[in-house]
Amino acid sequence: MKEKIIILDSGSQVTRLIGRRLRELNVYCEIMPPHRMQKPDPSVKGVILAGSPCSVYDPQAPQIDFSLFKGIVPVLGICYGAQMLAYRFGGRVEPSPTREYGRALLSASGSSPLFDGIAFPTQVWMSHGDTITQLPEGAEAIASTESVKNAAFRIKGEDTYAVQFHPEVFHTTEGTAMLKNFAYGICGCSGDWTPDSFIESSVSSLRRQIGNDKVILGLSGGVDSTVAAVLLDKAVGHNLTCIFVNNGLLRKNEFSDVLASYRDMGLNVIGADASAAFLQALAGVSDPEAKRKIIGGLFVETFEKYASQIDGARYLAQGTIYPDVIESAGVPGASKIKSHHNVGGLPERMNLKVTEPLRMLFKDEVRRIGRLLGIRSELIDRHPFPGPSLAVRILGEVTEEKLAVLREADDIFIRSLRGFDCRDMDLASASDPCKKAETLYDAVWQAGVILLSVRSVGVMGDGRSYENAAALRAVVSADAMTADWARLPYEFLAKVSNEIINNVRGINRVVYDISSKPPATIEWE
């Protein structure tokens, strides 16, 4: 039975960072809302109570049944989790005189296994409006900051710990060490969760699940579906048929290039060119949400049409990854970021069983698995790309003419990012603790060009022009929950702007988006 740590998600948008940190420590974990928690079986080594946008006093605040696990397995409460521990067992939680956000220096009060090997004072990251003013009976403070007396505490006689800061975020400099102390030293985890073990166990599981039945998989050209396809091919071979739909909204030469790459990898793939149908359906549509619904619905119809031609198919495979599952789980009291058509699946009338081999993986783990499977870096290291493709990078109605203009500008930007050597530069920012990369493309999380719905006056040659403006967008991020705009070199931006204006008819002005997420999103629509 695979050992694991359960993370109870009460709606914090950084909960998944806890999971990522544990996975980086080779500790398997699962994230679930509190109402789905059950009495732990022997595989559960510990429970982490994550943060929440709620106060413990809010009527809609997620409720936690501590009787299931407290005193039975080790527990670590983080932020809201710490406050809920204090509040439910007789402590006092009150609004802070000033909201406590940002860096703080943590000092220890005596020794604690949670802080083994950590040199104090150490920097931590606070993010809360309430604070614990009185500990529950049987608890003792184990750390404090200048303004937070009970920054960390433990319950005597049991392995229950709590911290009011966030050890999972980059700004808590010893946060990973604290989580390692909890997982290894307190919970007794062995750290056997590795990409190699995942591949071996997944291939065996898929063979048992699918047997000799046939499987169909929709490929997008992205990392997730590509890795899912190669993993399934390793498990069931010729019984897998992949369908790669051309929605007419892909980047320059993407359909032909990616299709050729898939076939070179030995995958059994059908290229479904439905570009004309998508462009016809989008004619006259400007609303972003309407565009997304049209594209999603037509993709399902197209996929269903080609899938119905595959005799004997019993399974539908999807490239669903763990963030998709978490965001679709519906934590009470949390804001829903987005919905995912792949989590819900295709129409029931297809009568196919669903298999999702990457369902429990984060994006960085998917890439690690892909490299071990031998997938080429140009596919594994591709930036995330929106499901509706270039349709949400054209503000307003989508037309063939606009797509042609955007494709050329986008091609120049992406080629330039790939061609710029940045090994002597450091693009790391407050929201991106990335290592130095070889190229600007490697250094940023996601990049693209947005064709704006406004035109501007320009002077080109001896004449006056009145053409579209385009915005360059490049962000750095760890997992897209938050993102900072990439500090691209001025000389690089100048070169790209000049090349786009000189070579792409229809654009006479280029701007650079310096908005971070939040408050902006990565995409414009």
Side-chain angles (χ1 to χ4, degrees):
M1 188 177 291
K2 181 166 54 182
E3 66 179 26
K4 61 189 172 186
I5 288 178
I6 299 294
I7 302 170
L8 296 185
D9 176 19
S10 294
S12 169
Q13 293 187 18
V14 295
T15 296
R16 71 179 62 186
L17 289 181
I18 306 172
R20 290 183 73 250
R21 297 290 176 262
L22 290 175
R23 297 281 184 90
E24 288 165 3
L25 294 167
N26 295 331
V27 175
Y28 181 70
C29 62
E30 292 183 9
I31 299 174
M32 65 180 65
H35 66 274
R36 295 190 181 179
M37 182 67 189
Q38 297 179 349
K39 189 172 182 178
D41 60 44
S43 70
V44 178
K45 296 294 185 179
V47 174
I48 294 179
L49 315 175
S52 173
C54 299
S55 163
V56 295
Y57 297 105
D58 290 343
Q60 73 272 24
Q63 297 302 305
I64 299 171
D65 186 353
F66 288 100
S67 67
L68 292 172
F69 54 85
K70 183 178 175 293
I72 300 172
V73 296
V75 175
L76 173 62
I78 295 176
C79 196
Y80 170 87
Q83 294 172 1
M84 184 59 79
L85 262 173
Y87 172 68
R88 289 282 295 276
F89 292 94
R92 184 179 299 129
V93 178
E94 298 178 299
S96 302
T98 57
R99 293 190 298 175
E100 293 158 342
Y101 293 123
R103 295 173 178 84
L105 284 179
L106 185 75
S107 298
S109 308
S111 62
S112 165
L114 188 64
F115 299 140
D116 277 354
I118 294 173
F120 290 94
T122 184
Q123 178 181 286
V124 297
W125 186 261
M126 295 286 186
S127 181
H128 55 91
D130 293 346
T131 192
I132 299 169
T133 56
Q134 181 179 317
L135 295 177
E137 186 176 350
E140 62 177 348
I142 56 175
S144 61
T145 69
E146 184 177 350
S147 58
V148 183
K149 178 183 177 182
N150 300 309
F153 67 90
R154 67 170 297 178
I155 305 294
K156 298 176 184 178
E158 59 186 69
D159 286 324
T160 299
Y161 299 82
V163 296
Q164 288 203 78
F165 55 88
H166 287 270
E168 70 274 23
V169 303
F170 173 64
H171 308 294
T172 299
T173 52
E174 297 283 358
T176 299
M178 295 175 192
L179 291 173
K180 184 177 181 178
N181 285 338
F182 178 72
Y184 281 76
I186 298 171
C187 296
C189 292
S190 59
D192 58 358
W193 170 253
T194 64
D196 292 286
S197 67
F198 173 83
I199 293 172
E200 182 180 349
S201 62
S202 293
V203 168
S204 298
S205 176
L206 287 167
R207 285 174 179 164
R208 287 194 304 270
Q209 177 189 12
I210 296 169
N212 291 319
D213 289 335
K214 291 185 178 181
V215 187
I216 53 176
L217 167 68
L219 287 169
S220 67
V223 177
D224 304 334
S225 64
T226 300
V227 173
V230 175
L231 192 63
L232 278 159
D233 182 68
K234 189 176 180 68
V236 302
H238 66 277
N239 281 335
L240 170 68
T241 300
C242 302
I243 301 172
F244 182 30
V245 176
N246 180 11
N247 58 15
L249 307 167
L250 302 177
R251 285 171 156 162
K252 185 177 180 179
N253 300 327
E254 185 169 19
F255 181 62
S256 58
D257 290 351
V258 174
L259 189 60
S261 295
Y262 283 145
R263 287 173 174 162
D264 287 346
M265 292 159 57
L267 294 177
N268 177 22
V269 57
I270 298 171
D273 189 351
S275 53
F278 277 84
L279 289 174
Q280 183 178 355
L282 289 168
V285 179
S286 297
D287 179 73
E289 190 61 24
K291 287 194 285 188
R292 287 178 177 272
K293 288 180 178 178
I294 289 170
I295 293 165
L298 192 51
F299 173 84
V300 169
E301 291 179 19
T302 305
F303 185 88
E304 184 180 16
K305 172 186 172 183
Y306 282 86
S308 65
Q309 300 170 15
I310 302 170
D311 293 332
R314 295 289 179 268
Y315 282 89
L316 168 70
Q318 299 186 138
T320 308
I321 64 174
Y322 206 27
D324 302 338
V325 176
I326 297 167
E327 288 179 354
S328 301
V331 178
S335 299
K336 189 151 183 151
I337 308 300
K338 54 186 174 181
S339 58
H340 297 267
H341 74 273
N342 60 326
V343 175
L346 293 173
E348 291 183 4
R349 63 179 178 272
M350 291 189 69
N351 197 29
L352 297 173
K353 300 176 182 178
V354 174
T355 183
E356 297 170 317
L358 310 180
R359 185 179 179 86
M360 302 309 294
L361 297 183
F362 290 95
K363 177 73 77 174
D364 52 345
E365 292 175 314
V366 174
R367 288 194 166 105
R368 289 166 64 192
I369 299 297
R371 291 188 183 95
L372 281 174
L373 289 169
I375 302 173
R376 295 198 301 271
S377 61
E378 57 263 34
L379 288 172
I380 287 300
D381 295 324
R382 295 186 78 194
H383 290 172
F385 190 58
S389 309
L390 296 180
V392 291
R393 292 183 178 175
I394 293 175
L395 304 193
E397 182 184 3
V398 177
T399 66
E400 288 192 48
E401 293 75 19
K402 290 180 181 179
L403 282 165
V405 170
L406 180 56
R407 284 194 181 103
E408 293 302 322
D410 180 83
D411 183 59
I412 290 171
F413 187 32
I414 298 301
R415 280 193 293 104
S416 298
L417 287 168
R418 291 186 185 278
F420 191 98
D421 193 325
C422 68
R423 279 172 288 190
D424 294 328
M425 300 175 55
D426 187 359
L427 285 188
S429 72
S431 60
D432 176 48
C434 298
K435 61 183 180 297
K436 290 183 179 180
E438 291 188 5
T439 70
L440 281 179
Y441 185 88
D442 300 323
V444 303
W445 169 269
Q446 189 170 344
V449 178
I450 297 90
L451 188 64
L452 305 185
S453 57
V454 297
R455 294 198 290 172
S456 67
V457 173
V459 178
M460 304 184 77
D462 295 325
R464 177 180 181 273
S465 67
Y466 187 56
E467 296 180 339
N468 290 96
L472 308 181
R473 180 72 159 144
V475 299
V476 288
S477 178
D479 59 5
M481 290 301 292
T482 61
D484 196 9
W485 61 279
R487 272 63 171 175
L488 300 181
Y490 289 153
E491 62 269 26
F492 171 82
L493 291 172
K495 182 178 181 295
V496 170
S497 173
N498 187 61
E499 189 173 350
I500 289 175
I501 291 172
N502 285 344
N503 292 280
V504 182
R505 289 186 176 274
I507 295 176
N508 69 352
R509 188 180 300 270
V510 173
V511 300
Y512 187 52
D513 184 346
I514 60 170
S515 309
S516 296
K517 176 187 179 182
T521 53
I522 295 176
E523 299 294 341
W524 280 43
E525 287 194 344

